[in-house]
Amino acid sequence: GENVEQHPSTLSVQEGDSAVIKCTYSDSASNYFPWYKQELGKRPQLIIDIRSNVGEKKDQRIAVTLNKTAKHFSLHITETQPEDSAVYFCAASVRGSARQLTFGSGTQLTVLP
Amino acid sequence: SAVISQKPSRDICQRGTSLTIQCQVDSQVTMMFWYRQQPGQSLTLIATANQGSEATYESGFVIDKFPISRPNLTFSTLTVSNMSPEDSSIYLCSVEANQETQYFGPGTRLLVL
């Protein structure tokens, strides 16, 4: 089955700096890669996703890049703000078939004011 | 996105007892899933709740321990049976809404004493 590895497990940045979180996946059939943000005590919230026919996607301060050949994808947050502090999870699935999400282990992002 | 509710939001139970968690969504959805999130950990898929047929369980999870019902396209239940302290976790349902994007319910925090 699919295996998703996520790095780093913790990340601290100064407010205004950029943050990058990286994930690798094992199943070459995976074609859908969402990112979720989970604040303490809250549900995971989808913040951005990318499909395998696209190499990069942006939404304001958030971007995701995908390298299908290397089987890795990354989340980029620019101009970080204290409210970006949360746990971020990457995930992978095969759209159009079973569609179950396999999650990475999570990254605790702390934005220091 | 879909509006998803779960009941109960939290519970404290004695070992050996069972708890049934309900998941309700405000629109008809084809795919519903149940996840477990142990303290400080990532999300692990328990099973896919199939409408009109038995749930599909992931490796390490069995129907006798986690029976699931899916009577219609807006509702599902997960029962945690014969509980032990190791079952203390957050249990989340998710639904697949537009364009195969998954959204999560608020979760049920379970503590087993």
Side-chain angles (χ1 to χ4, degrees):
Chain A
E2 175 68 280
N3 181 50
V4 178
E5 295 192 356
Q6 183 172 346
H7 300 282
S9 57
T10 62
L11 178 61
S12 292
V13 299
Q14 289 294 137
E15 183 177 357
D17 288 350
S18 296
V20 180
I21 303 170
K22 299 181 179 180
C23 289
T24 61
Y25 60 98
S26 61
D27 188 349
S28 56
S30 290
N31 52 17
Y32 175 62
F33 307 94
W35 286 88
Y36 288 85
K37 173 184 180 182
Q38 188 175 32
E39 297 176 79
L40 190 62
K42 302 287 184 63
R43 76 186 79 187
Q45 297 269 18
L46 178 72
I47 56 172
I48 195 167
D49 58 11
I50 191 167
R51 291 156 175 81
S52 62
N53 58 345
V54 175
E56 182 176 2
K57 183 178 179 180
K58 283 186 178 180
D59 183 3
Q60 300 184 338
R61 297 186 297 109
I62 294 173
V64 57
T65 59
L66 171 65
N67 183 327
K68 287 189 297 181
T69 303
K71 290 192 279 188
H72 68 72
F73 56 111
S74 301
L75 178 71
H76 304 254
I77 306 174
T78 59
E79 301 173 23
T80 53
Q81 302 167 2
E83 51 265 38
D84 294 329
S85 296
V87 179
Y88 291 80
F89 293 100
C90 63
S93 76
V94 182
R95 291 168 64 83
S97 68
R99 308 206 287 269
Q100 297 97 329
L101 289 174
T102 301
F103 281 84
S105 54
T107 296
Q108 172 68 63
L109 173 64
T110 302
V111 180
L112 303 169
Chain B
S1 63
V3 176
I4 308 164
S5 60
Q6 281 185 237
K7 289 182 183 178
S9 58
R10 59 180 65 234
D11 208 341
I12 301 173
C13 300
Q14 296 298 317
R15 69 173 67 208
T17 63
S18 298
L19 176 73
T20 295
I21 302 167
Q22 299 179 6
C23 179
Q24 178 78 54
V25 61
D26 68 341
S27 58
Q28 293 186 342
V29 293
T30 305
M31 306 293 288
M32 293 182 78
F33 305 92
W34 286 98
Y35 289 84
R36 182 174 73 183
Q37 187 175 28
Q38 295 180 303
Q41 302 296 311
S42 184
L43 292 88
T44 301
L45 181 65
I46 297 172
T48 303
N50 302 308
Q51 198 268 329
S53 65
E54 275 196 5
T56 306
Y57 290 84
E58 297 301 303
S59 176
F61 297 96
V62 296
I63 187 171
D64 289 348
K65 176 68 175 177
F66 297 102
I68 287 170
S69 78
R70 179 87 192 271
N72 57 53
L73 293 176
T74 64
F75 186 78
S76 179
T77 67
L78 168 76
T79 299
V80 187
S81 303
N82 188 25
M83 288 184 286
S84 66
E86 292 71 36
D87 294 319
S88 298
S89 271
I90 300 171
Y91 292 86
L92 298 121
C93 67
S94 75
V95 304
E96 196 177 83
N98 48 289
Q99 297 186 32
E100 302 182 9
T101 303
Q102 278 195 37
Y103 298 96
F104 284 86
T108 296
R109 293 177 175 274
L110 172 61
L111 177 63
V112 184
L113 303 177

